[in-house]
Amino acid sequence: MKLTNQTALPEFLLLGLTEDPALQPLVFSMFLSMYLVTVLGNLLIILAVRSDSHLHSPMYFFLSNLSLADISMGTTTIPKMLVNIQTQDQSISYTGCLSQVCFVLSFGGLEDFLLAVMAYDRFVAICHPLRYTVIMNPCLCVLLLLLCLLLSIVHGLLHTLMLLQLSFCIDLEIPHFCELSQVIKLACSDTFINNILVYLVSIMFFGLPLSGIIFSYTQIVSSMLRIPSVGRRYKAFSTCGSHLSIVSLFYGTGFGVYLSSAVTDSTVKNVVASMMYSVVPQMLNPFIYSLRNREMKGALGHLISGMLPV
């Protein structure tokens, strides 16, 4: 493949799910609906946490920030796709593509770190209930949030700055959205350092949070097994059910994207796998927490009833 002119910035093409004009309105409607559900659902979670004093606790503080990260993640990818479908223009600029890579990595990393912090919060609540308010004080919660933000920004900028060192070819077709691995594959220059960095950073920025989540739940299960009452044991575990569901969805879809890109070169399959990771978890998170959590369900009910005209 031929290198692009180094004096002109390359332009990428986002292929999308289908090139069939008859199916474009269906794809547009589907993604628009998913985006609206994602924004509305997560926005309701944020408003419910802010408006209900019963939800002013560390767990819901981190949940509201997770919802904000979910909205941001969806906004990074879906609106550009909708614009491309509506205008019949699949192009995205070099700067726009690298910006999308940076934001996807940053918001994805933020979700990852917040899930780990939420697991730690559940660990303290169940294993050290008498010291919970002392340990999970407002100052520590804010510091943990700032640490999550800092690490996620470093994660996104690190890979984006390394992409700036690469030269790209003429055929710059990317399925769905500008994903790090897909952009690296299009480079004509040596990508050895980029690929090594991807593996090392994945171990640090995703492996360590996942290890923390596993450790927290190992301690939680060990602590619950020592509770003699079955009722108290179930009550303790029920506070973790929503978080466990979200963790399973987040890492399950992420692992599916990795397997899909490693096993198959099918564009459609890679698009579907990427969509499952970047869209579906963010859309389902509000439903998981509102349906499995009585306090959140009650707060949402009061919020919605207060919005409706009498």
Side-chain angles (χ1 to χ4, degrees), residues 17 27 29-39 42 69-79 81-82 104 108 111 176-177 179 249-250 253-254 257 271-287:
L17 275 176
V27 174
S29 301
M30 181 181 70
F31 277 99
L32 178 61
S33 301
M34 295 173 74
Y35 179 63
L36 292 177
V37 170
T38 299
V39 173
N42 284 288
D70 287 340
I71 293 175
S72 303
M73 182 72 164
T75 302
T76 301
T77 56
I78 301 179
M81 182 193 306
L82 296 176
V104 167
E111 291 177 347
H176 188 43
F177 65 90
E179 197 176 4
L249 187 62
F250 180 83
T253 53
V257 170
V271 168
V272 172
S274 298
M275 182 188 71
M276 289 293 293
Y277 175 74
S278 63
V279 178
V280 175
Q282 292 75 22
M283 181 181 67
L284 294 182
N285 285 352
F287 294 99

Side-chain angles (χ1 to χ4, degrees), residues 66 69-70 72-73 76 101-115 152 155 205-206 250-251 277-278 282:
L66 179 65
D70 287 340
S72 303
M73 182 72 164
T76 301
V101 170
C102 183
F103 285 124
V104 167
L105 290 174
S106 297
F107 292 127
L110 181 58
E111 291 177 347
D112 185 39
F113 295 129
L114 284 173
L115 289 174
S152 62
H155 177 229
F205 284 84
F206 289 95
F250 180 83
Y251 283 101
Y277 175 74
S278 63
Q282 292 75 22

Side-chain angles (χ1 to χ4, degrees), residues 5 33 59 99 128 148 163 180 191 216 276 305 308:
N5 187 345
S33 301
M59 180 176 73
S99 299
H128 306 283
C148 291
L163 286 178
L180 177 63
T191 60
S216 295
M276 289 293 293
S305 63
L308 296 175

Side-chain angles (χ1 to χ4, degrees), residues 7-21:
T7 61
L9 294 177
E11 195 172 65
F12 297 86
L13 294 178
L14 304 179
L15 298 181
L17 275 176
T18 179
E19 295 182 2
D20 187 349

Side-chain angles (χ1 to χ4, degrees), residues 86-225:
Q86 192 68 20
T87 60
Q88 295 297 306
D89 180 11
Q90 296 177 314
S91 65
I92 182 172
S93 67
Y94 175 80
T95 304
C97 189
L98 263 61
S99 299
Q100 196 173 73
V101 170
C102 183
F103 285 124
V104 167
L105 290 174
S106 297
F107 292 127
L110 181 58
E111 291 177 347
D112 185 39
F113 295 129
L114 284 173
L115 289 174
V117 170
M118 292 169 75
Y120 175 71
D121 172 75
R122 292 299 84 206
F123 160 71
V124 176
I126 293 174
C127 299
H128 306 283
L130 298 179
R131 300 178 56 202
Y132 177 71
T133 55
V134 177
I135 297 175
M136 298 302 294
N137 59 76
C139 182
L140 178 64
C141 292
V142 173
L143 286 175
L144 287 173
L145 176 61
L146 292 176
L147 180 62
C148 291
L149 283 170
L150 176 62
L151 291 175
S152 62
I153 291 172
V154 169
H155 177 229
L157 287 177
L158 181 63
H159 285 297
T160 307
L161 291 174
M162 290 301 296
L163 286 178
L164 288 171
Q165 310 304 314
L166 300 177
S167 298
F168 292 92
C169 305
I170 291 178
D171 299 323
L172 302 177
E173 296 181 344
I174 300 176
H176 188 43
F177 65 90
C178 291
E179 197 176 4
L180 177 63
S181 60
Q182 298 294 334
V183 175
I184 291 177
K185 287 179 181 178
L186 297 175
C188 289
S189 53
D190 184 22
T191 60
F192 177 75
I193 296 178
N194 295 78
N195 289 322
I196 292 296
L197 188 65
V198 167
Y199 288 112
L200 290 177
V201 172
S202 296
I203 293 173
M204 291 176 58
F205 284 84
F206 289 95
L208 291 178
L210 179 59
S211 299
I213 292 172
I214 293 172
F215 173 78
S216 295
Y217 276 103
T218 301
Q219 298 300 309
I220 288 172
V221 171
S222 176
S223 178
M224 286 193 299
L225 291 176

